Structure formats: structure tokens, C-alpha cells
Amino acid sequence: MRIRTVKAWWVQIPIEASRQHRSDFGQLKTFDAAIVRIETDDGLVGWGEGKNAAGSAGKYGTLVALINNEIAPALIGRHAGDITAIWEMLYNGVRSELASTSGHAMPELSRRGLTIAAISAIDIALWDILGKSLNQPVWQLLGGRKAERLPAYASGGWAGVDTIGEQLASYVEAGGFKTVKMRVGAMDGAPHASAARVRAARKALGPEVEIAVDAHGTYTVADAKRFVHMVADCDLAWFEEPVIADDKRGAAEVRAAGPVPIATGESEATRFAFRELALLRAADIFQPDPGFCGGITEAMRIGAMASAFNLRFAPHLWAGAPCFFSGLHICAASPASFVIEYSLGANPMIHDLVEETVDVEDGMVAIPDAPGLGFTISESFLKKHAQSC
């Protein structure tokens, strides 16, 4: 089961105009990701995904070039089942042999950002291959699943104060969701404008539906604290990314300022960053993105850390199929997981890129039983939307 080929594409799928929305990073007209295909010498194929941009927006030419030109050659001939060894080799770079014999990390300077995004894509694909080679779903290899279906929350909520309640109510009706998430922050301007939208949402949904909010890291510490006080009576499930991820002490300050649980982590890479969040008491909920944090291998380590610090775990899954399905397996196997993010925005990278149908019923999403990650990529659709890099 040796690695024979590694190929990455920048996949850019247009979003029809009627389903586009405007967020703090502008109007979303396409859904973008780096999608990776790894094939072994015995014909097994695994799919992975790497991310380097906010939400589904951004350019992926550099990440794809990194995977194809620098990382792929280092993987050819390696056993596809050596997942942890490959992860550490890519992370430590030229010091990988010394790090291995010494028993601790000695990473290169470029250990974060694009490098970890590339490692994430490779790691996800290798787990997919391992599951297929053993005819087992990945969750079984991670220790087994705790349930056949897990709770999901509807992620969206960009409408203005007059229609946000109607928009979120439509989510509840569409999938029976018990929890919804709406966007706040810079897209609204001042904190009081976001607070008004939150109050309108709570009034429309009543007390039975959980409401979470996501600022995408666009508040200052002072404005995040102002917002927390303004919505203190709205019984929010969590406040996601209140401030920029680089300001972990700022996040801790926001957490200490009010009663709303703080969730963060989609912009963090590796267990080392999450260790700092835990030690600083900066978060109640860890939200690593498998396509950026270091793949399935690292996400499971982060989930174990969340459990050790008595925190909860809800990976960021606004993503394409490889990342999203990875999240399903990770959550199924993690003791600290409690809910799965399900995009209610236009997401052709899940629904059109794969042959399977991904649905939520009664607020629950099914965990795949098929070998590997449990999806089938439409390679014709992928190649149709692959960009030249």
C-alpha cells in the first residue's frame, strides 16, 4: 500500500446568484478549496482537503503548488498507513529524523499556515485510504463511534434585523434543528447593531431554540465585551471567535467579562495553539477545522485535550466534502464532541462534489458506515471546476 501519486487542485465552484450571501469578507460568489487525491500502488484512492482562507472565499493557487511541487515528491513510495509518521515528517521537515529519535517536535520555521493546511489535506486523504484498505469506516479506526446519529446545528444567519428571525426559523423548519448560528461583528458595524439582530432572533425563535453567534474574529476586545453585555439576557449557546485568533489573552478577557460561553479555534493550527487556549482559560468550546488544524490526526489530539480540560469540542465544518465528512468521523469518536456544524448557506463543495446525499433529519446527522470517510467524489465535476494553477 505504497503511495504512487499525489495530486491537488484548486476547485472553485460558482454559487448561483439567488443563493449568494454577503458576510464580513464580502459577497460570496464561489466556493473554493484545495482538494487532494492520493492513490496507492494497489489502486486505493483517498481524498483530502486543505484550507487557507476565510469561510469558502479565497485563493488556493499557492497551497496547491506547495502540495504538488514540494510535498507530493516526499510522499511517493511511503506506506500510506504510516499516517502519524508522515504527519511528523512533514511538520518537522529537515529535522524530522532528529525529532523522531529525540522524541519531541523540532519543526521548521514555516510550520504554520500553508504548511499545516497542506499537511491537513494529506492526512485526511491517508485516513480515507486506511479505512478503505481495512474495509472499515474511519470512526472505527479512531476508537469507535458513540452514536449512529449526532446533533447538528444550522450554520448561517446573515439577514438584517427585520428578517433574521424569519431566516433562522426557516432553518429550524428545514431540518428540525434545535440550535442555529448567526453571524455578527464587522458585517453589522457597531456592536449595538449586532445586538439588535440577536434580540430579534431570540424574539422570533422563543426560548426553546439555542442561538449561537459568530463574529469571525472581527471585534476588538472592547467591542466584544460591549456586545456580551448587550446580549446577556438572550441566553446564547456560545459566542464564536469574538476577537482575532492571534489575541488569545483578549479572548480570555472577553470570556471573563460575561456569562456567554466562548468558542474558538477555526483559525488555529495544531495542538500547541489549543494548549495555549486551554491554559489561558480563553475558550469553553474548541473548534478546530480539520482542513487547517492538521487533519484528522491533529483534530483527535485537540479533542483529547478538550476532554482533559473539561471543555467541549465542535469542529469547524464550513467546508467541502473531505473536511466535512472528516468532522463527522472525528465527532463520532471524540468523547468531548456535542454538536456538528451544518451549513445552511450554499455549499456545492459538499452537495454537488459528492454522489452521496447529506441531510439532517430531526436535527440529527447520520455518521457514515461506508469504508474510509464514506463519500464518493464526482471526479468529472471536480475536473470541470478545477482551476489552472
Side-chain angles (χ1 to χ4, degrees):
M1 199 170 72
R2 300 283 170 177
I3 296 173
R4 181 169 63 188
T5 63
V6 179
K7 175 66 176 177
W9 297 269
W10 173 4
V11 179
Q12 183 178 72
I13 306 174
I15 299 173
E16 57 186 283
S18 62
R19 301 205 63 199
Q20 294 175 11
H21 69 266
R22 177 168 292 278
S23 187
D24 49 84
F25 39 85
Q27 187 84 7
L28 290 184
K29 298 181 179 180
T30 62
F31 204 114
D32 299 70
I35 302 296
V36 172
R37 182 185 188 275
I38 298 180
E39 185 172 356
T40 66
D41 56 6
D42 49 2
L44 292 172
V45 174
W47 295 92
E49 178 179 351
K51 300 169 67 178
N52 63 214
S56 55
K59 300 182 182 300
Y60 282 82
T62 303
L63 177 56
V64 166
L66 172 62
I67 295 171
N68 287 335
N69 299 330
E70 296 189 28
I71 289 180
L75 298 180
I76 305 304
R78 293 290 302 253
H79 194 285
D82 292 341
I83 298 175
T84 301
I86 289 173
W87 198 103
E88 296 294 333
M89 181 267 289
L90 295 176
Y91 183 66
N92 290 294
V94 296
R95 299 189 181 101
S96 60
E97 291 187 15
L98 182 58
S100 177
T101 57
S102 300
H104 65 91
M106 298 182 185
E108 294 183 300
L109 293 177
S110 59
R111 65 192 182 278
R112 299 296 176 91
L114 291 177
T115 299
I116 299 299
I119 293 174
S120 301
I122 298 300
D123 185 83
I124 290 170
L126 292 178
W127 277 104
D128 192 25
I129 288 173
L130 184 61
K132 291 172 179 174
S133 73
L134 299 173
N135 199 35
Q136 295 287 335
V138 168
W139 55 257
Q140 191 72 71
L141 309 183
L142 298 175
R145 64 181 175 186
K146 57 188 180 183
E148 294 181 1
R149 299 170 66 85
L150 292 176
Y153 70 89
S155 183
W158 304 273
V161 65
D162 294 332
T163 56
I164 184 64
E166 178 183 347
Q167 185 179 57
L168 297 179
S170 73
Y171 297 171
V172 175
E173 182 177 353
F177 295 96
K178 308 300 188 294
T179 303
V180 297
K181 185 171 79 178
M182 58 181 286
R183 269 55 182 182
V184 297
M187 60 176 280
D188 293 324
H192 68 81
S194 287
R197 292 177 58 245
V198 172
R199 288 193 293 271
R202 174 54 73 202
K203 182 178 179 180
L205 297 179
E208 301 304 319
V209 177
E210 293 264 37
I211 300 176
V213 298
D214 184 356
H216 288 162
T218 59
Y219 279 133
T220 63
V221 172
D223 279 349
K225 290 162 67 176
R226 289 173 63 201
F227 173 78
V228 165
H229 286 289
M230 291 174 186
V231 298
D233 61 346
C234 291
D235 189 27
L236 294 181
W238 67 80
F239 182 10
E240 185 170 329
E241 284 203 304
V243 297
I244 186 173
D246 294 334
D247 189 4
K248 295 179 178 60
R249 290 186 181 274
E253 188 176 339
V254 175
R255 180 174 181 265
V260 183
I262 300 300
T264 194
E266 71 178 72
S267 299
E268 301 288 5
T270 80
R271 61 196 180 276
F272 301 108
F274 285 87
R275 178 190 62 188
E276 295 306 305
L277 287 170
L279 293 174
L280 289 169
R281 299 293 190 265
D284 299 280
I285 302 166
F286 281 175
Q287 295 180 303
D289 188 306
F292 181 72
C293 76
I296 294 172
T297 298
E298 199 71 350
M300 289 300 295
R301 292 166 173 167
I302 294 164
M305 191 181 305
S307 179
F309 279 85
N310 200 28
L311 304 173
R312 293 193 295 172
F313 182 64
H316 177 254
L317 299 178
W318 191 279
C323 182
F324 177 78
F325 276 77
S326 295
L328 296 182
H329 291 266
I330 292 163
C331 287
S334 172
S337 71
F338 72 105
V339 72
I340 289 169
E341 181 173 25
Y342 187 85
S343 165
L344 264 290
N347 193 332
M349 199 68 77
I350 291 179
H351 300 296
D352 299 333
L353 184 61
V354 300
E355 296 179 7
E356 291 75 13
T357 299
V358 181
D359 288 318
V360 174
E361 295 181 6
D362 298 323
M364 306 287 283
V365 62
I367 306 303
D369 282 314
L373 291 173
F375 62 85
T376 307
I377 289 279
S378 171
E379 296 198 43
S380 61
F381 185 86
L382 181 150
K383 292 176 181 177
K384 177 181 177 181
H385 296 286
Q387 303 300 298
S388 299
C389 297

Coordinates of all heavy atoms in Angstrom, one line a residue, residues 253-313:
E253 N -10.1 37.5 28.1 CA -10.7 38.7 28.7 C -12.2 38.8 28.4 O -13.0 39.1 29.3 CB -10.0 40.0 28.3 CG -10.4 41.2 29.0 CD -9.6 42.5 28.6 OE1 -8.5 42.3 28.1 OE2 -10.1 43.6 28.8
V254 N -12.5 38.5 27.2 CA -13.9 38.5 26.8 C -14.7 37.4 27.5 O -15.8 37.6 28.0 CB -14.1 38.3 25.2 CG1 -15.6 38.2 24.9 CG2 -13.4 39.5 24.5
R255 N -14.1 36.3 27.6 CA -14.8 35.1 28.3 C -15.0 35.5 29.8 O -16.1 35.2 30.3 CB -13.9 33.9 28.3 CG -14.5 32.7 29.0 CD -13.6 31.4 28.8 NE -14.2 30.3 29.4 CZ -13.8 29.9 30.6 NH1 -12.9 30.5 31.3 NH2 -14.4 28.8 31.2
A256 N -14.1 36.2 30.4 CA -14.3 36.6 31.8 C -15.3 37.7 32.0 O -15.7 38.0 33.1 CB -12.9 37.0 32.4
A257 N -15.7 38.4 30.9 CA -16.5 39.6 31.0 C -18.0 39.3 31.1 O -18.7 40.3 31.4 CB -16.2 40.5 29.8
G258 N -18.4 38.1 30.9 CA -19.8 37.9 30.9 C -20.2 36.4 30.9 O -19.3 35.6 31.0
P259 N -21.5 36.1 30.8 CA -21.9 34.7 31.0 C -21.9 33.9 29.8 O -22.3 32.7 29.8 CB -23.3 34.9 31.5 CG -23.8 36.2 30.8 CD -22.6 37.0 30.7
V260 N -21.6 34.4 28.6 CA -21.7 33.7 27.3 C -20.5 32.8 27.1 O -19.4 33.3 27.1 CB -21.9 34.7 26.1 CG1 -22.1 33.9 24.9 CG2 -23.1 35.6 26.4
P261 N -20.7 31.5 26.9 CA -19.5 30.6 26.6 C -18.8 31.1 25.3 O -19.4 31.6 24.4 CB -20.2 29.3 26.4 CG -21.5 29.3 27.1 CD -22.0 30.7 26.9
I262 N -17.5 31.0 25.3 CA -16.7 31.4 24.2 C -16.2 30.2 23.4 O -15.7 29.2 24.0 CB -15.4 32.2 24.6 CG1 -15.9 33.4 25.4 CG2 -14.6 32.6 23.4 CD1 -16.8 34.4 24.6
A263 N -16.4 30.2 22.1 CA -16.0 29.1 21.2 C -15.0 29.7 20.2 O -15.1 30.8 19.7 CB -17.2 28.5 20.4
T264 N -13.9 29.0 19.9 CA -12.9 29.5 19.0 C -12.0 28.3 18.5 O -12.0 27.2 19.1 CB -12.1 30.6 19.7 OG1 -11.3 31.3 18.7 CG2 -11.1 30.0 20.7
G265 N -11.3 28.6 17.5 CA -10.3 27.6 17.0 C -10.2 27.3 15.5 O -9.3 26.7 15.1
E266 N -11.2 27.9 14.7 CA -11.1 27.6 13.3 C -9.9 28.2 12.6 O -9.5 27.7 11.6 CB -12.4 28.0 12.6 CG -12.5 29.5 12.5 CD -13.8 30.0 11.8 OE1 -14.9 29.8 12.4 OE2 -13.7 30.4 10.6
S267 N -9.3 29.2 13.2 CA -8.1 29.8 12.7 C -6.8 29.3 13.3 O -5.8 29.9 13.1 CB -8.2 31.3 12.8 OG -9.3 31.8 12.1
E268 N -6.9 28.3 14.2 CA -5.8 27.8 14.9 C -5.2 26.6 14.3 O -6.0 25.7 13.8 CB -6.2 27.5 16.4 CG -6.7 28.7 17.2 CD -5.6 29.7 17.5 OE1 -4.5 29.6 17.1 OE2 -6.0 30.7 18.3
A269 N -3.9 26.4 14.3 CA -3.3 25.3 13.7 C -2.5 24.5 14.8 O -1.7 25.1 15.5 CB -2.3 25.7 12.6
T270 N -2.7 23.2 14.9 CA -2.0 22.3 15.8 C -2.5 22.3 17.2 O -3.0 23.3 17.7 CB -0.5 22.4 15.7 OG1 0.0 23.4 16.5 CG2 0.0 22.5 14.3
R271 N -2.1 21.3 17.9 CA -2.5 21.1 19.3 C -1.8 22.1 20.2 O -2.3 22.5 21.3 CB -2.1 19.7 19.8 CG -0.6 19.4 19.7 CD -0.4 17.9 19.8 NE 1.0 17.5 19.7 CZ 1.6 17.3 18.5 NH1 1.0 17.5 17.4 NH2 2.9 16.9 18.5
F272 N -0.7 22.6 19.7 CA 0.1 23.6 20.5 C -0.7 24.9 20.7 O -0.7 25.5 21.8 CB 1.5 23.9 19.9 CG 2.3 22.6 19.7 CD1 2.5 22.1 18.5 CD2 2.8 22.0 20.8 CE1 3.2 20.9 18.3 CE2 3.6 20.8 20.7 CZ 3.8 20.3 19.4
A273 N -1.4 25.4 19.7 CA -2.2 26.6 19.8 C -3.4 26.4 20.8 O -3.7 27.2 21.6 CB -2.7 27.0 18.5
F274 N -4.0 25.2 20.7 CA -5.1 24.9 21.6 C -4.7 24.7 23.0 O -5.4 25.0 23.9 CB -5.9 23.7 21.0 CG -6.7 24.0 19.8 CD1 -6.2 23.9 18.5 CD2 -8.0 24.4 20.0 CE1 -6.9 24.2 17.4 CE2 -8.8 24.7 18.8 CZ -8.2 24.6 17.6
R275 N -3.5 24.2 23.2 CA -2.9 24.1 24.6 C -2.9 25.5 25.2 O -3.3 25.7 26.4 CB -1.5 23.5 24.5 CG -0.9 23.5 25.9 CD 0.6 23.1 25.8 NE 1.4 24.1 25.1 CZ 2.6 24.0 24.7 NH1 3.3 22.8 24.9 NH2 3.2 24.9 24.0
E276 N -2.5 26.5 24.4 CA -2.4 27.9 25.0 C -3.8 28.4 25.3 O -4.1 29.1 26.3 CB -1.7 28.8 24.0 CG -0.3 28.5 23.8 CD 0.5 28.5 25.1 OE1 0.5 29.5 25.8 OE2 1.1 27.4 25.3
L277 N -4.8 28.1 24.4 CA -6.2 28.5 24.7 C -6.7 27.9 26.0 O -7.4 28.5 26.8 CB -7.1 28.1 23.6 CG -7.0 28.8 22.3 CD1 -7.8 28.1 21.2 CD2 -7.5 30.3 22.4
A278 N -6.3 26.6 26.2 CA -6.8 25.9 27.4 C -6.1 26.5 28.7 O -6.8 26.8 29.7 CB -6.5 24.4 27.3
L279 N -4.8 26.7 28.6 CA -4.1 27.2 29.8 C -4.5 28.7 30.1 O -4.5 29.1 31.3 CB -2.6 27.2 29.5 CG -2.0 25.8 29.4 CD1 -0.5 25.9 29.0 CD2 -2.1 25.0 30.7
L280 N -4.8 29.5 29.1 CA -5.3 30.8 29.4 C -6.7 30.9 29.7 O -7.2 32.0 30.0 CB -5.0 31.7 28.1 CG -3.6 32.0 27.8 CD1 -3.5 32.6 26.4 CD2 -3.0 32.9 28.8
R281 N -7.4 29.8 29.8 CA -8.9 29.8 30.0 C -9.6 30.8 29.1 O -10.4 31.6 29.4 CB -9.2 30.2 31.5 CG -8.6 29.2 32.5 CD -9.2 27.9 32.4 NE -8.9 27.0 33.5 CZ -7.9 26.1 33.5 NH1 -7.2 26.0 32.4 NH2 -7.6 25.3 34.5
A282 N -9.2 30.6 27.8 CA -9.7 31.6 26.8 C -10.9 31.0 26.0 O -11.5 31.8 25.2 CB -8.6 31.9 25.8
A283 N -11.3 29.8 26.2 CA -12.4 29.2 25.5 C -13.1 28.1 26.3 O -12.5 27.5 27.2 CB -11.9 28.6 24.2
D284 N -14.4 28.0 26.0 CA -15.2 26.9 26.5 C -15.4 25.8 25.5 O -15.7 24.6 25.9 CB -16.6 27.4 26.9 CG -16.5 28.5 28.0 OD1 -16.3 28.2 29.2 OD2 -16.6 29.7 27.6
I285 N -15.3 26.1 24.2 CA -15.5 25.2 23.2 C -14.4 25.3 22.2 O -14.1 26.4 21.7 CB -16.9 25.4 22.5 CG1 -18.0 25.4 23.5 CG2 -17.1 24.4 21.3 CD1 -19.3 25.9 22.9
F286 N -13.7 24.2 21.9 CA -12.7 24.1 20.9 C -13.3 23.8 19.5 O -14.1 22.9 19.4 CB -11.7 23.0 21.2 CG -10.7 23.4 22.2 CD1 -9.7 22.5 22.7 CD2 -10.6 24.7 22.8 CE1 -8.8 22.8 23.6 CE2 -9.7 25.0 23.7 CZ -8.7 24.1 24.1
Q287 N -12.9 24.6 18.5 CA -13.5 24.4 17.1 C -12.4 24.3 16.1 O -12.3 25.1 15.1 CB -14.4 25.6 16.8 CG -15.6 25.7 17.7 CD -16.5 26.9 17.3 OE1 -16.0 28.0 17.3 NE2 -17.7 26.6 17.0
P288 N -11.6 23.3 16.1 CA -10.5 23.1 15.1 C -11.2 22.8 13.8 O -12.2 22.1 13.7 CB -9.7 22.0 15.6 CG -10.6 21.2 16.4 CD -11.5 22.2 17.1
D289 N -10.6 23.3 12.7 CA -11.0 22.9 11.3 C -10.1 21.8 10.8 O -8.9 22.0 10.7 CB -11.0 24.1 10.4 CG -11.6 23.9 9.1 OD1 -11.2 22.9 8.4 OD2 -12.4 24.7 8.6
P290 N -10.6 20.6 10.5 CA -9.8 19.5 10.1 C -9.0 19.9 8.8 O -7.9 19.3 8.6 CB -10.7 18.4 9.8 CG -11.9 18.7 10.6 CD -12.0 20.2 10.6
G291 N -9.5 20.8 8.0 CA -8.7 21.2 6.8 C -7.7 22.2 7.0 O -6.9 22.6 6.1
F292 N -7.5 22.6 8.3 CA -6.5 23.6 8.6 C -5.7 23.3 9.8 O -4.5 23.7 9.9 CB -7.1 25.0 8.7 CG -6.2 26.1 9.0 CD1 -5.3 26.6 8.0 CD2 -6.1 26.7 10.3 CE1 -4.4 27.6 8.3 CE2 -5.2 27.7 10.6 CZ -4.3 28.2 9.6
C293 N -6.3 22.6 10.8 CA -5.6 22.4 12.1 C -4.5 21.4 12.0 O -3.7 21.3 12.9 CB -6.6 22.1 13.2 SG -7.2 20.4 13.1
G294 N -4.5 20.5 11.0 CA -3.6 19.4 10.9 C -4.2 18.1 10.6 O -3.6 17.0 10.8
G295 N -5.5 18.2 10.1 CA -6.2 17.0 9.7 C -6.8 16.2 10.8 O -7.0 16.7 11.9
I296 N -7.2 15.0 10.5 CA -7.9 14.1 11.4 C -7.0 13.8 12.6 O -7.4 13.8 13.8 CB -8.4 12.8 10.7 CG1 -9.5 13.2 9.7 CG2 -8.9 11.8 11.8 CD1 -9.9 12.0 8.9
T297 N -5.7 13.5 12.3 CA -4.7 13.1 13.3 C -4.7 14.2 14.4 O -4.8 14.0 15.6 CB -3.3 12.9 12.7 OG1 -3.4 11.8 11.8 CG2 -2.3 12.6 13.8
E298 N -4.5 15.5 14.0 CA -4.3 16.5 14.9 C -5.7 16.9 15.6 O -5.7 17.3 16.8 CB -3.7 17.8 14.3 CG -3.1 18.8 15.2 CD -1.8 18.3 15.9 OE1 -1.5 17.1 15.8 OE2 -1.2 19.1 16.5
A299 N -6.8 16.8 14.9 CA -8.1 17.1 15.4 C -8.4 16.2 16.6 O -9.0 16.6 17.6 CB -9.1 17.1 14.4
M300 N -8.0 14.9 16.4 CA -8.3 14.0 17.5 C -7.4 14.3 18.8 O -7.9 14.2 19.9 CB -8.0 12.6 17.1 CG -9.0 12.0 16.1 SD -10.7 12.0 16.8 CE -10.5 10.8 18.1
R301 N -6.2 14.8 18.5 CA -5.4 15.2 19.7 C -6.0 16.4 20.4 O -6.0 16.5 21.6 CB -4.0 15.5 19.1 CG -3.1 14.4 18.6 CD -1.9 14.9 17.8 NE -1.0 13.8 17.5 CZ 0.0 13.9 16.6 NH1 0.1 15.1 16.0 NH2 0.8 12.9 16.3
I302 N -6.5 17.3 19.6 CA -7.1 18.5 20.1 C -8.4 18.1 20.9 O -8.7 18.7 22.0 CB -7.4 19.5 19.0 CG1 -6.1 20.1 18.4 CG2 -8.3 20.7 19.5 CD1 -6.3 20.8 17.1
G303 N -9.2 17.2 20.4 CA -10.3 16.7 21.1 C -10.0 16.1 22.4 O -10.7 16.3 23.4
A304 N -8.9 15.3 22.4 CA -8.4 14.7 23.7 C -8.1 15.8 24.7 O -8.3 15.7 25.9 CB -7.3 13.8 23.4
M305 N -7.4 16.9 24.2 CA -7.1 18.0 25.1 C -8.3 18.7 25.6 O -8.4 19.0 26.8 CB -6.2 19.0 24.3 CG -5.6 20.0 25.2 SD -4.6 21.2 24.2 CE -3.5 20.1 23.4
A306 N -9.3 18.9 24.8 CA -10.6 19.4 25.3 C -11.2 18.6 26.4 O -11.6 19.1 27.4 CB -11.6 19.6 24.1
S307 N -11.2 17.3 26.2 CA -11.7 16.4 27.3 C -10.9 16.5 28.5 O -11.4 16.6 29.6 CB -11.7 15.0 26.7 OG -12.1 14.1 27.7
A308 N -9.6 16.6 28.4 CA -8.7 16.7 29.6 C -8.9 18.0 30.4 O -8.8 18.0 31.6 CB -7.2 16.6 29.2
F309 N -9.3 19.1 29.7 CA -9.5 20.4 30.3 C -11.0 20.6 30.6 O -11.4 21.7 31.0 CB -9.0 21.5 29.5 CG -7.5 21.7 29.6 CD1 -6.6 21.0 28.9 CD2 -7.0 22.6 30.6 CE1 -5.2 21.2 29.0 CE2 -5.6 22.8 30.7 CZ -4.7 22.1 29.9
N310 N -11.8 19.5 30.5 CA -13.3 19.6 30.7 C -13.9 20.7 29.9 O -14.8 21.4 30.3 CB -13.5 19.9 32.2 CG -14.9 19.5 32.6 OD1 -15.6 18.7 32.0 ND2 -15.5 20.2 33.6
L311 N -13.5 20.8 28.6 CA -14.1 21.7 27.6 C -14.8 20.9 26.6 O -14.7 19.6 26.6 CB -13.0 22.5 26.9 CG -12.0 23.3 27.8 CD1 -10.9 23.9 27.0 CD2 -12.8 24.3 28.6
R312 N -15.6 21.5 25.8 CA -16.4 20.8 24.7 C -15.7 21.0 23.4 O -14.8 21.9 23.2 CB -17.8 21.3 24.7 CG -18.6 21.0 26.0 CD -20.1 21.2 25.9 NE -20.4 22.6 25.7 CZ -21.6 23.0 25.4 NH1 -22.6 22.1 25.2 NH2 -21.9 24.3 25.3
F313 N -16.2 20.2 22.4 CA -15.4 20.1 21.2 C -16.5 20.1 20.0 O -17.4 19.3 20.0 CB -14.7 18.8 21.2 CG -13.8 18.4 20.0 CD1 -12.8 19.2 19.7 CD2 -14.1 17.3 19.3 CE1 -12.0 18.9 18.6 CE2 -13.3 16.9 18.2 CZ -12.2 17.7 17.9

